[in-house]
Amino acid sequence: MVDFSLSENDERILDAMREQSRVVRRYARYYDDNENELPPDALPEVVNFRSPYKDVEFEEGIDTPRHVLHVLVSAIQAWGDYGVLMKRIGEGLGNGVLTAAGTDEQRARWQRCTLAIAMTEPGCGSDPKSIQTTAVRDGDEWVLNGEKIFVTAGCRAEGVVVAATVDKNLGYKGIKPFVVMKGMPGFEVSHREKKMGIRADDTATLLLNNVRVPGDHLLGACDDSAAGFRAIMTALNRNRPVVGVAGVGIASAALDFTREKLKEEGIEIVWGVGKQGRSAVQQELIEIEADIEAATLGLLHAAWVSGGNEWKARPTSIAKAKAGEVARTATQRCLALLGGLGLSREYLVEKWFRDARITDLYGGTGEIQRLIIARDILGYSSAELP
Ligand SMILES: Cc1cc2nc3c(=O)[nH]c(=O)nc-3n(C[C@H](O)[C@H](O)[C@H](O)COP(=O)(O)OP(=O)(O)OC[C@H]3O[C@@H](n4cnc5c(N)ncnc54)[C@H](O)[C@@H]3O)c2cc1C
């Protein structure tokens, strides 16, 4: 039976997370204004924060399964501040590829490092099969050449998992993940992106100019199977719900603020009367709330049916598509309700509007999620429905 009702333990965990998030939020404006500064590994007031799950004993059949509750916990973290939150996550997406494709020895060597992931190139984003970065075998080494753009944590990560093709004729089967560590000759961060949102999080362009990496920096085998490509896609797919949840958290922050401001003006939702008994503003608030609730339920459902294992593709894409869209539209609708106040830098709502945009872009755009859903429903391959 699907049940998303919250137990006392669940509520305790969420309350603890809200408290932490209120502290993180104090830093939101600072790192938005100072995009050139990366937040430190630990914010001073956050150093002693403990996992909200700590000391709360899980009761089977009463408490919400942890992997499901984690959707709500993460949304509250993003409600605090998504950009600052991102910085506090030690692992990068590249660590996911390492886990999926690395040997025990490789995992032991790099698991403690933050590894970013570099797929996107100037001519290749939504369609990762068209990667142009090359890896050519030379004795015991691989020689990598190419340019990677929009690499999250590209500046602060200690290393990057670079997707490169060992043979363009093999298509996606030729794409393999390589670990490239900072400081390797020929590997440089050539540009740090200035972004409209999530400015606390660094996004970089990386250049690979005859970068020589030892043979054992290839994750997985150099065969003509799709295993390497799949390992990269698995790590990206796992990140989809994380991005969707962030969208819901940001939208909730904007809605809470809007509600609060409208309340100060004497405008509150009147329940128990029909649509005809409410003002347009009250009705708009209800619709935004319902949309955020629908997106949240989609994510909870995706988590529930995935059972704590590999996220199931269709429900996850449905949840990500809905959450990304709601993040964009809910923050926009909140700005509209707030009038000029919504644009003032005195408040964070204009920042949430900017931060929200990314959630419908990375991890696969809304259009790409809808394509994945359509393929799954119709039973088409990506070649049949490109
Ligand atoms: C802040 C930020 C951080 C990022 N972090 C990373 C990272 O860490 N690692 C990484 O590798 N990449 C990262 N990216 C890249 C991101 O994943 C891509 O930007 C995204 O996949 C879209 O690719 P694109 O920008 O090339 O757009 P395109 O693929 O060119 O798409 C442009 C538009 O066309 C639409 N479109 C494309 N194909 C189709 C289709 N078949 N059907 C319908 N519509 C379609 C898209 O939805 C989009 O609206 C990041 C991007 C940003 C902005």
Side-chain angles (χ1 to χ4, degrees):
M1 190 188 70
V2 178
D3 180 6
F4 297 137
S5 53
L6 297 174
S7 68
E8 276 179 29
N9 272 342
D10 297 339
E11 295 282 13
R12 205 173 308 144
I13 290 168
L14 298 180
D15 281 347
M17 206 58 243
R18 274 187 205 102
E19 204 177 304
Q20 296 191 6
S21 288
R22 272 190 280 273
V23 174
V24 170
R25 190 177 280 184
R26 291 183 206 147
Y27 293 86
R29 177 58 77 192
Y30 181 84
Y31 289 106
D32 181 59
D33 278 347
N34 297 279
E35 194 180 4
N36 52 333
E37 276 181 52
L38 291 177
D41 280 334
L43 302 169
E45 297 145 285
V46 177
V47 195
N48 297 323
F49 277 176
R50 295 182 326 160
S51 159
Y53 301 108
K54 207 154 183 210
D55 302 334
V56 182
E57 208 152 300
F58 178 75
E59 284 189 69
E60 179 95 42
I62 295 177
D63 296 330
T64 303
R66 289 290 193 251
H67 69 279
V68 178
L69 189 68
H70 200 64
V71 166
L72 302 179
V73 167
S74 307
I76 293 171
Q77 285 181 309
W79 177 93
D81 190 68
Y82 181 45
V84 176
L85 158 78
M86 292 282 289
K87 172 63 181 78
R88 293 177 57 220
I89 297 171
E91 284 199 350
L93 278 178
N95 294 81
V97 187
L98 177 66
T99 305
T103 60
D104 287 347
E105 190 279 318
Q106 286 172 322
R107 285 193 210 117
R109 194 168 1 148
W110 291 309
Q111 200 57 278
R112 284 174 175 277
C113 305
T114 299
L115 300 176
I117 194 163
M119 288 271 279
T120 308
E121 299 178 357
C124 146
S126 297
D127 177 19
K129 293 192 293 295
S130 49
I131 277 173
Q132 297 298 310
T133 296
T134 53
V136 177
R137 185 97 205 186
D138 183 22
D140 291 341
E141 295 178 323
W142 289 96
V143 184
L144 274 71
N145 278 290
E147 180 180 5
K148 295 290 183 182
I149 57 173
F150 293 128
V151 180
T152 295
C155 295
R156 70 178 166 89
E158 289 139 294
V160 181
V161 172
V162 173
T165 175
V166 294
D167 183 351
K168 285 186 186 164
N169 296 322
L170 287 177
Y172 66 93
K173 291 182 179 171
I175 296 168
K176 310 288 176 197
F178 293 86
V179 175
V180 183
M181 298 305 287
K182 292 280 178 63
M184 287 183 145
F187 184 44
E188 63 164 309
V189 175
S190 63
H191 173 66
R192 183 166 167 201
E193 212 63 53
K194 282 191 170 292
K195 307 189 295 292
M196 69 179 262
I198 54 161
R199 301 171 79 184
D201 194 36
D202 80 85
T203 311
T205 298
L206 305 176
L207 286 183
L208 297 121
N209 187 10
N210 286 322
V211 180
R212 289 186 165 270
V213 300
D216 63 358
H217 279 224
L218 165 66
L219 299 176
C222 185
D223 52 18
D224 55 5
S225 80
F229 183 70
R230 239 184 265 123
I232 301 170
M233 294 315 289
T234 300
L236 291 176
N237 293 349
R238 278 196 194 128
N239 197 43
R240 272 187 190 140
V242 178
V243 176
V245 164
V248 161
I250 297 168
S252 305
L255 178 61
D256 286 352
F257 175 81
T258 307
R259 256 207 231 102
E260 198 184 297
K261 283 291 157 198
L262 290 177
K263 194 173 169 189
E264 287 171 16
E265 304 288 322
I267 302 168
E268 278 187 87
I269 295 176
V270 183
W271 299 102
V273 293
K275 203 172 172 179
Q276 69 282 359
R278 290 187 207 111
S279 71
V281 170
Q282 290 164 338
Q283 185 60 26
E284 181 74 350
L285 280 175
I286 287 177
E287 286 175 17
I288 298 170
E289 185 172 333
D291 239 1
I292 295 175
E293 189 67 19
T296 308
L297 285 171
L299 287 155
L300 288 170
H301 174 257
W304 186 281
V305 296
S306 300
N309 299 315
E310 206 49 63
W311 285 85
K312 288 201 184 339
R314 197 202 294 185
T316 302
S317 281
I318 291 172
K320 162 78 166 72
K322 176 72 182 170
E325 184 190 300
V326 168
R328 271 193 299 110
T329 53
T331 49
Q332 155 70 29
R333 291 166 90 177
C334 286
L335 281 200
L337 286 174
L338 292 165
L341 187 152
L343 273 69
S344 168
R345 291 180 68 85
E346 200 177 317
Y347 304 106
L348 286 169
V349 67
E350 60 81 27
K351 176 180 128 54
W352 292 323
F353 168 71
R354 292 184 280 111
D355 286 351
R357 185 62 188 86
I358 192 64
T359 63
D360 204 25
L361 200 159
Y362 65 11
T365 64
E367 289 81 4
I368 295 302
Q369 302 310 320
R370 286 184 274 277
L371 202 55
I372 294 168
I373 297 161
R375 281 184 198 135
D376 195 60
I377 291 172
L378 300 170
Y380 287 160
S381 67
S382 56
E384 289 165 322
L385 192 59

